[in-house]
Amino acid sequence: MSGKTEVVVYANPELLAAAVAARLVTRLVDLQAAKGSASLVLTGGSTGIAVLDQLRRSPARDAVDWSRLDLYWGDERFVPADDDERNEKQAREALLDHVPVDPKRVHAMAPSDGEFGDDVDAAAAAYARVLADNARPEDHGDVPGFDIMLLGLGGEGHTASVFPESPAVYETERSVVAVRNCPKPPPTRISLTLPAIRRAHDVWLLTTGEAKADAVALALSGAGEVQLPVAGARGQRRTLWLVDRAAAGKLSNVYLPPTA
């Protein structure tokens, strides 16, 4: 069961990052007011990290009770903990080291020099256990019903680290998988699967640039998820596409704001 799909277009990447950061603050505050806590799945990539950087700079960031926020990742590069390619390191530098998060509620995927060494399958299985341990009875399964999941996408249509026609895109049972031989470096990763992604209440897809325009248009026109995995990233309540004018360039019937 998928919720409604919406598309919001911003004039340029800078406006998108600032606007998404503001939208995120508002939504997290509302969730915490309604139920005491919230859960957020972070994404890497230039746009996802730019949003976190804008959030750190925003005076409104202190409206969020960071101690009552559970943080997860949609995927991770399987590299050492101090590697600049690591999504967790980038997120900590952009935001998490600057706000009072509860370390017990920051659920990072294991690095390649962590407790599982270079065994990426064991690291993926361990993250699946983390998800299962944090799922509640009302989630009806072994994945939490994430409040908000941030995702990016590649020009060929991948999201998280689920690539077109890869073993991960066919996975229907496991919530987290090891990914090898990725077509873009680094080649080894850990990723949530599409069924796990679809446990989120809201999925926010963030992307910018003309190189993403084909993938955006195809995903919104009903492409299949095997060839275009981002088409399978849908929220139970809402799927929100947050794109800039260039990435929306091949969409029809969508208002495009004037270039700032």
Side-chain angles (χ1 to χ4, degrees):
M1 183 70 180
S2 298
K4 60 183 178 179
T5 297
E6 300 174 40
V7 181
V8 182
V9 183
Y10 299 96
N12 57 57
E14 293 74 24
L15 282 175
L16 183 149
V20 173
R23 184 185 288 265
L24 193 54
V25 166
T26 300
R27 185 69 184 127
L28 291 175
V29 169
D30 287 348
L31 285 163
Q32 290 180 335
K35 60 191 188 81
S37 63
S39 57
L40 172 65
V41 183
L42 299 176
T43 183
S46 58
T47 304
I49 298 302
V51 168
L52 299 186
D53 186 67
Q54 286 287 340
L55 188 49
R56 182 187 82 245
R57 298 168 186 269
S58 170
R61 79 178 197 193
D62 294 331
V64 177
D65 185 342
W66 295 100
S67 69
R68 293 190 293 137
L69 181 67
D70 285 291
L71 291 160
Y72 301 87
W73 274 263
D75 73 325
E76 183 58 274
R77 288 87 177 264
F78 196 59
V79 293
D82 64 351
D83 194 304
D84 289 340
E85 293 267 17
R86 186 164 162 80
N87 290 337
E88 181 202 3
K89 182 181 181 185
Q90 293 177 22
R92 288 188 180 280
E93 291 175 348
L95 175 65
L96 303 185
D97 286 347
H98 308 276
V99 292
V101 294
D102 179 350
K104 295 178 181 177
R105 301 181 81 157
V106 179
H107 308 290
M109 294 177 175
S112 63
D113 58 352
E115 61 180 307
F116 307 104
D118 61 1
D119 188 342
V120 65
D121 293 294
Y127 205 69
R129 290 193 295 273
V130 168
L131 298 187
D133 289 345
N134 284 276
R136 302 158 300 180
E138 58 266 34
D139 295 324
H140 304 294
D142 57 0
V143 178
F146 308 113
D147 289 312
I148 304 168
M149 179 176 294
L150 305 180
L151 290 172
L153 64 141
E156 81 301 299
H158 85 268
T159 193
S161 285
V162 182
F163 288 83
E165 299 186 5
S166 66
V169 81
Y170 293 100
E171 182 63 50
T172 59
E173 299 296 327
R174 290 179 291 175
S175 60
V176 186
V177 292
V179 180
R180 296 176 174 83
N181 303 314
C182 289
K184 57 183 294 188
T188 307
R189 305 180 183 201
I190 303 168
S191 182
L192 268 60
T193 59
L194 291 178
I197 287 170
R198 290 194 284 262
R199 298 302 301 161
H201 297 296
D202 284 19
V203 168
W204 295 10
L205 290 152
L206 323 173
T207 198
T208 62
E210 186 179 354
K212 310 293 180 65
D214 282 328
V216 172
L218 286 168
L220 286 164
S221 63
E225 63 188 42
V226 172
Q227 287 74 35
L228 197 83
V230 71
R234 300 184 297 272
Q236 294 197 15
R237 188 181 76 94
R238 180 170 66 163
T239 305
L240 185 59
W241 287 80
L242 299 157
V243 301
D244 74 343
R245 185 181 175 92
K250 296 191 177 180
L251 294 177
S252 58
N253 302 318
V254 172
Y255 168 70
L256 298 180
T259 302

